[in-house]
Amino acid sequence: MKQTTIETLAREDVFHLIGKEWMLVTAGSLEAGFNTMTASWGGLGWLWNKPVAFVFVRPERHTYQFTETHDSLTLSFLGMDEKARHTLNHCGTVSGRDHDKVAECGLTPVATPEGSVGFAEARLTLVGRKLFRSEMQAAQFLDPEVRERWYNERPGGSFHTVYVVEIENVYE
């Protein structure tokens, strides 16, 4: 991974980047342990005079415990080729509690200079430091159809925890 500047993101279509390419959200450290999960929801923007990412993690996800107990996380973008799509599908459908997803996908974990975990195969990695967290609640939804569609009693239907992370570094 080679460090670059936040301006690198100016050449990215963030709607495509997150909504179509998807990303691996990874929290933890090589020394203490880590987990990764696929996300296709989130955002990038400017808040509190800082470049930020908005990350959503459901509490039943194994990655959740790592996002809760570590100050930083990474967002890794692997591209759109067949291997990347296989990796993202796998990391989004099996649990790190039961599988070594990293080994099963042939990913190479690397420590970032900040101590977070990224992957050598990523074309783009954002390192984010948590600034804010909030648990979604039913009463906060202004559009009941959104709540009913995405948050319900079905498996995987719990409310997300929202994290706002400052993008501290960008690596290519």
Side-chain angles (χ1 to χ4, degrees):
M1 293 192 310
K2 178 183 152 215
Q3 187 171 2
T4 186
T5 64
I6 194 75
E7 286 76 21
T8 299
L9 297 177
R11 64 178 187 240
E12 297 284 347
D13 172 351
V14 298
F15 293 100
H16 183 270
L17 190 67
I18 296 170
K20 300 293 183 200
E21 184 174 332
W22 305 348
M23 61 188 164
L24 292 176
V25 176
T26 308
S29 69
L30 290 179
E31 300 78 30
F34 67 93
N35 197 62
T36 192
M37 62 174 246
T38 300
S40 62
W41 291 359
L44 301 175
W46 189 255
L47 182 65
W48 304 315
N49 287 331
K50 299 174 185 292
V52 298
F54 307 95
V55 181
F56 300 81
V57 181
R58 293 184 197 263
E60 65 267 18
R61 298 297 300 260
H62 188 49
T63 303
Y64 178 79
Q65 71 183 14
F66 295 92
T67 59
E68 285 292 296
T69 58
H70 290 81
D71 294 332
S72 297
L73 54 82
T74 61
L75 307 177
S76 299
F77 299 90
L78 305 177
M80 296 283 294
D81 65 22
E82 187 177 327
K83 181 174 178 4
R85 189 53 48 189
H86 168 76
T87 296
L88 291 159
N89 282 323
H90 188 72
C91 291
T93 57
V94 302
S95 174
R97 287 183 192 91
D98 308 317
H99 293 263
D100 183 348
K101 298 188 281 188
V102 172
E104 291 169 0
C105 292
L107 290 171
T108 309
V110 294
T112 69
E114 302 80 13
S116 296
V117 178
F119 300 101
E121 294 77 11
R123 70 172 193 84
L124 179 67
T125 300
L126 311 180
V127 178
R129 180 178 62 90
K130 292 188 306 188
L131 300 175
F132 175 84
R133 72 175 291 284
S134 181
E135 296 172 9
M136 290 182 167
Q137 299 173 3
Q140 296 170 328
F141 281 84
L142 303 177
D143 184 337
E145 289 180 30
V146 170
R147 184 188 53 75
E148 291 165 11
R149 178 171 181 197
W150 298 107
Y151 302 98
N152 48 56
E153 298 301 319
R154 292 189 303 263
S158 67
F159 291 107
H160 285 96
T161 296
V162 180
Y163 300 93
V164 177
V165 299
E166 178 182 7
I167 301 170
E168 293 189 305
N169 279 306
V170 179
Y171 297 94
E172 291 185 295

